[in-house]
Amino acid sequence: MTAIQERPPATPSRPNPALARLRNSWRQLTSMRTALILLFLLAIAAIPGSVLPQRGVNAQNVDGYYAEHPTLAPILDRLGAFDVFASPWFSAIYLLLFASLVGCIVPRLRDHYRALRMAPPAVPARLDRLPQHAVLAGGPDTDGLDVEGIAAVLRKRRWRVAVRDNTVSAEKGHLKETGNLLFHVALLAVLFSVAIGSWYGWHGNRLLVAGPDNAFCNTLQQYDESGLGARVHASDLPGFCLELTDFQAKFRQTGQPESFRATVRVDDGAPRAFSVNSPLRLDGANVYLLGHGYAPVIRYTDRYGRVQTTTAPFLSVDGMLTSEGVAAFPDANVDPKTGARDSKLQVAFEGLYLPTAPDTAPYTRSVFPAERSPALLLFAYRGNLGLDAGIPNSVYSLDQRQVASGRLARVGDGKLLRVGEKWTLDDGTTVEFLGTKQYATLSVRHDPGEKPVLASAAVGLLGLMLSLTGRRRRVFFRVTTGRSTLVEAGGLPRTDYAGFAEEFAQLVKDVEHRDSEGRADGRTV
């Protein structure tokens, strides 16, 4: 006989550690707990974007923060605190939350769809073990009562009903899970809409001085600060031009602003007004009013008698619109015969503008933001302004490197000028304060995700209301016929529902006294 050799038992395959770790990480990421943690972290990460000035909103405020906190500002800038919503760490939290919500919602959508298509479960064998239980003993009210009559009562009250032999199963409250999923889908839509706005949106900030000579057109080069989405090119910007024709500011007696209202002319059309909370709606862009200030008009007459006039916007440094700025005349003192320009004879005036100057010195701060007693404190500088070096510098301040090196020096002491007054310098040149023009700081923005975000938020609010008000519950009925009809009922709340006992008792009563459901002449409908 040939010996039968036994096959050695198969060695069970060992799971791949990397695959198992990846699967476990995905389960942790898509859990509801992780989604809530990420949502909380996203809210915390957005706090710096609300507290600190952002370059995408107003780059001038960022420059002001640098001036006030020269040590702290560079550290915050390296951490992305002045551009929070475009920083890598905010994007990482954003993408993780997006992935977590997708992984959490998709299985729940599938399970909820299956639950909606499935019939209510069969009646349990022991209804007396359910939290709610009732027995309708035989009598005139139960005689002739069958499962179809009970089902008719339940259907009229919008229960999902399944009739099996002598039993009736019904359930209600799927809107709770529907609302819950609707809220999460809406949250996902909000995140996606924000991403769409980041990809295809753009913005630009512009300080616009009143007057036709200062009008600007919607091109990237004419913005003081701008930003384009990842899918936007400079040529995609809509074409329009804006001219600030009027600006009205009202202040309370305390100096607090009451209202701002700007009037602009768009493409030589009729003037259109807008305010802080009511932006100007254009085709393809919205114009928001961020702030306003004053631009002193200064006339300078050089040593050759050449007259130059400039309108220099001054930036406010406090709530009373005390403003600082520079009026530069790089082409001053050009020899009219030879046309030679001596860079050492360039002139600039560093100034402090007070819309309402105090009655007595020191003239360092305005006492009211409106122009009640305007005054301009000027300090003259002569020398090389450093404009020919090709190094970018702010137009609102002098190049302090030129001042420190001695190439740009102050001329004499400062001079306080009222409107119409003239100041004669040591070389016979004069400077005159002609008045001011108002300016408005505008933010022109296009965000294609704005309306989807609003719609998603509305849908999310609806889903949240359904989730909070919905109650999942089930009721069961078993009809036993003999000499008399015996009806046994049971109820099971699937979620916390304090009023289920009263609802169950009322439902049993409606079944027992079912005349309103159609019983007539001893027949049950």
Side-chain angles (χ1 to χ4, degrees):
M1 296 179 62
T2 303
I4 300 176
Q5 296 181 355
E6 294 183 359
R7 181 178 299 176
T11 303
S13 60
R14 299 180 61 182
N16 189 329
L19 186 61
R21 189 177 297 108
L22 183 62
R23 186 184 299 110
N24 183 62
S25 300
W26 176 251
R27 289 174 180 172
Q28 292 292 332
L29 178 63
T30 57
S31 65
M32 183 58 65
R33 178 181 179 182
T34 302
L36 291 176
I37 292 175
L38 289 173
L39 189 61
F40 180 69
L41 290 177
L42 191 70
I44 294 178
I47 292 177
S50 302
V51 175
L52 297 174
Q54 300 295 294
R55 284 194 176 91
V57 178
N58 196 332
Q60 298 175 7
N61 291 343
V62 178
D63 296 336
Y65 193 90
Y66 259 89
E68 295 177 4
H69 307 86
T71 303
L72 179 61
I75 300 175
L76 294 176
D77 199 6
R78 285 194 294 270
L79 296 175
F82 299 127
D83 201 3
V84 169
F85 304 107
S87 62
W89 48 271
F90 188 88
S91 300
I93 300 174
Y94 183 92
L95 293 176
L96 286 174
L97 178 60
F98 194 91
S100 178
L101 286 175
V102 171
C104 178
I105 291 174
V106 170
R108 291 180 60 184
L109 281 173
R110 183 175 60 248
D111 295 341
H112 187 55
Y113 176 73
R114 291 175 179 174
L116 291 176
R117 289 179 58 86
M118 292 175 59
V123 176
R126 297 288 302 273
L127 292 178
D128 56 335
R129 293 185 176 181
L130 296 180
Q132 300 297 326
H133 179 253
V135 177
L136 281 69
D141 287 329
T142 58
D143 289 342
L145 179 62
D146 57 7
V147 293
E148 294 299 334
I150 296 174
V153 175
L154 295 173
R155 288 193 182 99
K156 186 167 185 179
R157 283 152 182 78
R158 299 181 180 178
W159 290 74
R160 297 175 66 245
V161 178
V163 177
R164 300 180 181 91
D165 298 331
N166 63 331
T167 62
V168 178
S169 305
E171 64 179 356
K172 197 175 186 180
H174 279 289
L175 281 179
K176 179 178 181 62
E177 180 65 8
T178 301
N180 200 344
L181 289 172
L182 194 63
F183 172 77
H184 286 84
V185 170
L187 181 59
L188 197 63
V190 168
L191 295 177
F192 184 73
S193 300
V194 171
I196 291 296
S198 176
W199 291 340
Y200 296 98
W202 57 269
H203 75 274
N205 296 334
R206 170 68 187 238
L207 189 151
L208 184 60
V209 181
D213 297 336
N214 302 299
F216 91 102
C217 294
N218 188 37
T219 59
L220 206 60
Q221 294 77 13
Q222 295 198 28
Y223 282 109
D224 300 327
E225 186 275 333
S226 61
L228 301 180
R231 304 292 190 272
V232 180
H233 190 267
S235 60
D236 297 330
L237 271 61
F240 59 84
C241 296
L242 293 179
E243 174 197 340
L244 181 63
T245 59
D246 184 36
F247 191 92
Q248 297 179 0
K250 295 182 179 179
F251 302 93
R252 298 183 176 92
Q253 290 300 321
T254 58
Q256 295 297 319
E258 183 175 344
S259 66
F260 296 140
R261 186 179 181 86
T263 303
V264 297
R265 192 185 307 276
V266 183
D267 295 332
D268 296 329
R272 299 173 61 178
F274 62 103
S275 58
V276 174
N277 296 321
S278 180
L280 177 63
R281 308 288 183 180
L282 301 178
D283 186 15
N286 295 328
V287 182
Y288 298 88
L289 181 60
L290 299 182
H292 93 292
Y294 302 100
V297 182
I298 300 173
R299 177 190 294 163
Y300 176 70
T301 305
D302 63 15
R303 62 183 60 191
Y304 297 105
R306 183 183 177 187
V307 178
Q308 301 179 56
T309 304
T310 184
T311 302
F314 279 30
L315 302 182
S316 60
V317 296
D318 59 24
M320 295 299 169
L321 295 186
T322 305
S323 306
E324 296 178 348
V326 168
F329 298 91
D331 297 326
N333 301 314
V334 176
D335 191 336
K337 296 180 179 180
T338 63
R341 185 180 68 175
D342 189 349
S343 61
K344 296 181 181 180
L345 295 179
Q346 293 177 340
V347 177
F349 296 92
E350 191 175 51
L352 183 70
Y353 177 67
L354 311 176
T356 304
D359 296 333
T360 58
Y363 302 103
T364 58
R365 186 176 182 273
S366 175
V367 297
F368 196 76
E371 292 184 309
R372 294 180 174 177
S373 178
L376 180 63
L377 180 62
L378 290 181
F379 298 90
Y381 287 82
R382 186 184 300 125
N384 190 339
L385 298 178
L387 302 179
D388 299 332
I391 301 176
N393 191 41
S394 174
V395 297
Y396 304 108
S397 62
L398 293 176
D399 189 346
Q400 296 302 316
R401 293 168 298 185
Q402 298 294 104
V403 177
S405 65
R407 290 188 291 267
L408 184 64
R410 181 189 287 190
V411 179
D413 297 327
K415 179 71 173 180
L416 184 72
L417 299 178
R418 302 285 180 172
V419 177
E421 292 183 350
K422 185 181 296 186
W423 177 24
T424 302
L425 303 181
D426 58 347
D427 60 351
T429 62
T430 61
V431 59
E432 184 179 358
F433 177 34
L434 301 181
T436 62
K437 292 183 178 181
Q438 295 199 77
Y439 69 78
T441 306
L442 306 179
S443 177
V444 185
R445 311 181 72 88
H446 172 63
D447 186 2
E450 184 180 33
K451 292 182 179 179
V453 165
L454 179 61
S456 301
V459 172
L461 181 60
L462 175 62
L464 185 62
M465 293 175 60
L466 293 176
S467 176
L468 294 176
T469 57
R471 299 290 186 270
R472 184 83 181 275
R473 62 266 196 204
R474 289 173 179 171
V475 293
F476 306 96
F477 290 87
R478 179 182 288 113
V479 179
T480 303
T481 57
R483 293 183 179 181
S484 61
T485 301
L486 179 67
V487 179
E488 186 180 9
L492 175 65
R494 298 297 304 278
T495 56
D496 293 336
Y497 182 18
F500 180 67
E502 291 78 4
E503 182 184 17
F504 176 79
Q506 183 62 43
L507 190 62
V508 171
K509 184 178 179 180
D510 292 342
V511 169
E512 187 176 11
H513 305 285
R514 61 197 183 284
D515 295 320
S516 60
E517 307 303 329
R519 189 180 65 171
D521 300 329
R523 295 181 292 107
T524 301
V525 178

